[in-house]
Amino acid sequence: MASPGGVAELAITDVPEPSASAGNVRVRVRHAAVNPADWKVLGGGFVASILHGRQSPVVVGYDFEGVVDQVGAGVAGLVVGDRVAGFLPYTRATRRGAFAEWVVATPEMVTTIPETMDGKVAAAFPTGGATVLQMIRDLGKLPSGGSILVVGAAGGVGTMALGVGHALGAKVTAVCSTGAVELVRSLGADAVIDRTQTDPLRASGTWDLVLDVAAAWSFASCRHLLTPTGAYVTTLPGPGVFWGKALTLFGQQRSEFVTVQNRSSDLVQLRDWVLAGMQVPIDSTWPVRELRGALERQQRGGMKGKILVEVEGGW
């Protein structure tokens, strides 16, 4: 896209082929995945300026799976021919996105994956998995055997929260709509609240962590659902988060938001959980030439897992 203008302005265009500079590898992309950040970047404005570097044309896409075909000087642990999965930083440092034939990444942005791993699954887990792992472990500081309430449990991030939560030993309650109840149950939710039938904010009981991956609530609205030392963690900073921090100044509850970090060690852990059987649901798959349709699907909401894009062979 030549300049911000929304999903409707998307077009396929040629840009110079990137090369792996020192400290980087070049990856030939096979699959990529759609995230809410993609259409937010395309829309321009302040959020876009935080999530993506200012460059024309704007090439979006963060999650990817592919094969290393160039290795820059000083890179250890990766060689040409390695299969990898990872995600680009959600910062201005990202100049070119993953909906392209190649991406250039540092070793911290990827993990190697075996030939046995499905390429779509490999592209689907990095952002969502790393986000919820850092929300639960680092920000939520979930106690051993703790409890999690996942708000927005059926989407690309929420479904990962169910798997990661269980992998960390938590008891997980999922909040979703009627159409997704069977999905989240199949993913192992210990309990399900159908938000179209019951107001989850009036649920009985308390949780150690409210994981608001849908950014639908605020600390103030759900603090009564937290244990005395519980935490509310969301994916989107806003006035409600900072007001929540003010409300927690004289107590032990916490209000946090996540800015997902690129850590290869986290991707390795997620990869191993997936190889051990953690499910990564896929909502739909689109060839890259139909990227507009994939992004519009994300905008409409109601996903049941991750939206995937076939890059190799999809032009």
Side-chain angles (χ1 to χ4, degrees):
M1 192 175 73
S3 60
V7 174
E9 301 301 317
L10 276 174
I12 294 176
T13 188
D14 290 322
V15 297
E17 182 179 317
S19 297
S21 56
N24 294 283
V25 297
R26 189 177 76 172
V27 179
R28 188 171 188 92
V29 179
R30 290 179 172 176
H31 297 90
V34 175
N35 291 284
D38 296 315
W39 56 264
K40 292 176 182 178
V41 168
L42 291 173
F46 176 70
V47 172
S49 70
I50 294 174
L51 295 174
H52 201 282
R54 293 184 179 181
Q55 186 163 326
S56 181
V58 178
V59 183
V60 290
Y62 292 88
D63 287 311
F64 60 89
E65 172 270 336
V67 178
V68 173
D69 69 358
Q70 282 186 9
V71 177
V75 173
L78 293 169
V79 298
V80 170
D82 279 345
R83 282 191 76 203
V84 295
F87 67 97
L88 300 172
Y90 287 81
T91 70
R92 293 171 182 157
T94 294
R95 314 296 292 181
R96 295 289 191 213
F99 301 132
E101 292 181 277
W102 291 277
V103 293
V104 173
T106 69
E108 276 299 298
M109 298 176 194
V110 300
T111 178
T112 56
I113 57 174
E115 290 298 325
T116 54
M117 180 174 281
D118 182 274
K120 294 178 183 178
V121 170
F125 79 74
T127 286
T131 298
V132 296
L133 177 57
Q134 292 169 25
M135 291 174 84
I136 296 169
R137 180 195 62 200
D138 304 338
L139 295 171
K141 303 185 187 305
L142 184 75
S144 177
S147 56
I148 304 174
L149 180 67
V150 181
V151 183
V157 179
T159 51
M160 292 299 300
L162 300 178
V164 171
H166 280 132
L168 292 173
K171 183 176 181 179
V172 185
T173 299
V175 177
C176 64
S177 63
T178 302
V181 168
E182 291 307 312
L183 169 66
V184 299
R185 281 181 176 156
S186 74
L187 295 175
D190 297 289
V192 181
I193 300 174
D194 181 346
R195 61 177 175 80
T196 57
Q197 302 295 323
T198 304
D199 182 357
L201 287 170
R202 296 186 178 182
S204 59
T206 57
W207 287 264
D208 295 299
L209 175 58
V210 170
L211 208 66
D212 187 6
V213 300
W217 293 0
S218 67
F219 172 81
S221 70
C222 69
R223 63 187 304 184
H224 61 286
L225 298 177
L226 292 171
T227 62
T229 57
Y232 165 82
V233 187
T234 185
T235 54
L236 189 66
V241 173
F242 299 107
W243 174 237
K245 285 185 174 293
L247 292 174
T248 63
L249 286 176
F250 303 103
Q252 292 182 288
Q253 293 178 330
R254 289 174 294 111
S255 174
E256 308 283 357
F257 69 90
V258 66
T259 302
V260 64
Q261 304 296 311
N262 290 95
R263 296 175 187 152
S264 183
S265 58
D266 285 351
L267 293 175
V268 169
Q269 177 65 85
L270 291 161
R271 175 202 67 192
D272 291 348
W273 281 335
V274 172
L275 290 172
M278 187 171 75
Q279 297 183 65
V280 184
I282 295 172
D283 175 87
S284 55
T285 302
W286 305 69
V288 69
R289 62 179 174 274
E290 297 179 16
L291 179 58
R292 182 181 301 172
L295 290 168
E296 289 172 344
R297 170 76 185 106
Q298 174 77 47
Q299 284 183 300
R300 287 195 302 271
M303 288 79 64
K304 295 180 180 179
K306 201 75 171 176
I307 300 169
L308 269 292
V309 174
E310 293 179 333
V311 176
E312 187 175 69
W315 300 99

